[in-house]
Amino acid sequence: MGLFGVMRTGVSGMNAQSSKLGTVAENIMNSSTTGYKRAQSEFSSLVVSQGAGSFNSGGVEAHTQYQVSKQGNISFTTSKLDLAVDGNGFFVVGNEAGESFLTRAGHFVPDGDGYLLNTAGYYLQGYPITGNTAPTTVANGLGGLERINITQNQLEATPTNEAFLRVNVSEDAAIVPAADLPSANAATASYSHKTSMIVYDNLGNEVKLDVYYSKVTETAADSDWEVSIYNAADAAPGGGFPYTAPALNTQTLTFDVTTGNLTGASATAINIAVPNGGTFDLDLDQSTYLNADFTVTNVDADGNAPSAVKNVEFSDDGTLFAIYTNGDRRAIYKIPLADVPSPDRLSNKSGNVYSTSFDSGDVRVGFAGEGGLGSIKVGGLEDSNVDLGNELTSMIESQRTYTANSQVFKAGSDLLEQLVNLVR
């Protein structure tokens, strides 16, 4: 039994070193593979029960693990669709069958249908964003995720739903008689100041609004101004009064003559119903009453005319934005990061993807930078964490050890041959 044990021990050693050489070969082969995690072999001894006065040699068992939790270097590229995780976490991807996996390989390109997939053919998954509502994660699972599609073939037209207009009205403006105020919409209407702004209806048509400011009263404490807003399309031929339709709305602003600011009791928003559009509040807050010419200090309105998607790009928090030809940006997806308690215990699959196992623990999902998850580097790729110098050293060590184990086997074989010859 002793000689057979020696031979079996030699074979066990050769098998273990063969396994280690296999991991070294795989590491060297994937040293340039994006997101690849180094495989390593660890050995444990197998002890055979011993009898009195004799020794039975045991064996060795090889265990292969992947250093999934070890960060690789991040190399930056020119593609805004390349993504890398700096720290804990994985991208969630899926295959054609709808199964979900975890990966650190973030080189994504659109396929013929506009879906983002990586080099191994796995589709990037994220939460859709609708109506500018921030998505929420399913903390303990991968539900609610869908394949990210960057193709937005439909033209986008968004009606205005919020706007602001900041102006300075002139302190020395004359008071406008009540009968001639713009709100009366008479041919004799007069006003202190006028400006116009563009908003959008439901079809993306530009709607020009005429905004009139008229000084109504002034006391030692405050000054009242009327603001009337008309649809410029209803103006009389050549422009101006009378409009063919009444004002869209009229509001009174009250300024403190001491500070030149709106008083606390002054209503600072005018509700506007855009023809064939939505209803929104035109914010007039921060307007002033100073001894200066009428000046528009700031104006803006959301909404846009029909516009096609020009390109897409990720932000550092994982939000994917569609960039329209008119310069507008709209969030369409947000990608989460997933993690497990023991990443090194994940089950390794082809294509640098992983699935959870009993030893890895259950998946946890969140957004970048939250709850211990890493950050997302846009335009970067995580390199393999393989060190070629270490792998070549391990290869030489395994080769030498394999040779030594083969000599143990040969010695046992020679001794067994001598024993057989003695029996003859």
Side-chain angles (χ1 to χ4, degrees):
M1 289 297 294
L3 292 179
F4 286 111
V6 169
M7 295 173 65
R8 292 193 184 99
T9 298
V11 171
S12 176
M14 287 189 287
N15 285 336
Q17 294 304 320
S18 177
S19 176
K20 183 174 181 179
L21 282 170
T23 61
V24 170
E26 180 179 323
N27 292 336
I28 293 174
M29 177 181 64
N30 287 284
S31 60
S32 297
T33 301
T34 298
Y36 175 79
K37 299 300 182 179
R38 177 179 181 269
Q40 66 178 22
S41 290
E42 298 292 342
F43 303 132
S44 61
S45 60
L46 298 175
V47 178
V48 178
S49 59
Q50 308 297 324
S54 65
F55 177 79
N56 293 319
S57 57
V60 63
E61 185 177 14
H63 300 272
T64 301
Q65 289 186 341
Y66 287 85
Q67 295 180 333
V68 180
S69 59
K70 182 181 179 181
Q71 177 81 41
N73 294 326
I74 295 178
S75 299
F76 289 92
T77 71
T78 58
S79 173
K80 293 298 185 181
L81 296 180
D82 285 342
L83 303 172
V85 179
D86 186 7
N88 298 326
F90 302 82
F91 300 115
V92 181
V93 294
N95 60 13
E96 289 285 358
E99 299 173 294
S100 294
F101 300 93
L102 310 181
T103 188
R104 301 273 290 199
H107 177 57
F108 295 104
V109 295
D111 66 5
D113 296 320
Y115 293 99
L116 288 182
L117 74 166
N118 65 11
T119 307
Y122 288 90
Y123 294 93
L124 180 62
Q125 297 186 345
Y127 297 104
I129 299 176
T130 56
N132 294 321
T133 301
T136 57
T137 63
V138 177
N140 63 341
L142 304 178
L145 293 168
E146 63 180 48
R147 294 181 186 177
I148 290 180
N149 190 299
I150 66 172
T151 302
Q152 305 287 322
N153 294 319
Q154 186 176 3
L155 292 176
E156 176 83 3
T158 306
T160 297
N161 57 38
E162 61 180 26
F164 61 83
L165 178 61
R166 323 284 197 220
V167 303
N168 177 72
V169 294
S170 179
E171 182 220 3
D172 59 3
I175 293 176
V176 178
D180 295 334
L181 287 172
S183 58
N185 196 23
T188 59
S190 60
Y191 49 88
S192 304
H193 312 297
K194 177 190 175 184
T195 189
S196 298
M197 63 183 299
I198 297 295
V199 295
Y200 296 92
D201 68 9
N202 292 329
L203 301 180
N205 294 309
E206 292 185 356
V207 178
K208 182 181 178 182
L209 302 181
D210 289 338
V211 185
Y212 294 94
Y213 292 83
S214 305
K215 191 174 187 179
V216 178
T217 63
E218 183 171 349
T219 68
D222 51 46
S223 179
D224 288 340
W225 286 69
E226 178 190 272
V227 181
S228 293
I229 300 178
Y230 285 86
N231 182 4
D234 297 332
F241 296 94
Y243 286 76
T244 59
L248 297 175
N249 208 340
T250 298
Q251 181 68 53
T252 298
L253 299 182
T254 302
F255 294 94
D256 186 319
V257 298
T258 302
T259 64
N261 298 323
L262 291 165
T263 65
S266 180
T268 57
I270 302 180
N271 189 259
I272 306 295
V274 179
N276 192 38
T279 300
F280 69 96
D281 285 336
L282 175 60
D283 186 359
L284 302 175
D285 194 18
Q286 299 182 29
S287 294
T288 56
Y289 172 75
L290 301 173
N291 184 21
D293 293 336
F294 175 75
T295 305
V296 177
T297 57
N298 202 354
V299 60
D300 192 23
D302 63 0
N304 61 268
S307 180
V309 173
K310 182 180 179 181
N311 53 43
V312 295
E313 62 181 29
F314 282 99
S315 66
D316 291 338
D317 68 351
T319 302
L320 179 64
F321 289 90
I323 313 300
Y324 291 87
T325 53
N326 64 358
D328 287 340
R329 295 161 55 90
R330 183 169 67 88
I332 53 178
Y333 290 97
K334 188 168 184 178
I335 61 171
L337 295 180
D339 200 10
V340 293
S342 180
D344 291 342
R345 299 286 186 173
L346 286 166
S347 296
N348 190 41
K349 307 293 182 183
S350 296
N352 290 337
V353 298
Y354 307 93
S355 62
T356 57
S357 68
F358 177 80
D359 293 328
S360 71
D362 294 331
V363 68
R364 174 178 64 89
V365 180
F367 291 122
E370 299 177 357
L373 292 172
S375 60
I376 294 176
K377 301 299 182 183
V378 180
L381 294 174
E382 184 179 2
D383 298 334
S384 166
N385 61 4
V386 171
D387 185 315
L388 276 177
N390 289 337
E391 298 307 317
L392 293 175
T393 301
S394 293
M395 180 176 64
I396 294 172
E397 290 175 346
S398 294
Q399 182 182 13
R400 297 297 187 190
T401 308
Y402 186 96
T403 300
N405 277 281
S406 69
Q407 292 300 318
V408 170
F409 179 86
K410 184 175 183 300
S413 176
D414 290 344
L415 290 173
L416 183 62
E417 182 180 0
Q418 292 295 326
L419 181 62
V420 170
N421 289 335
L422 288 174
V423 172
R424 291 177 182 174

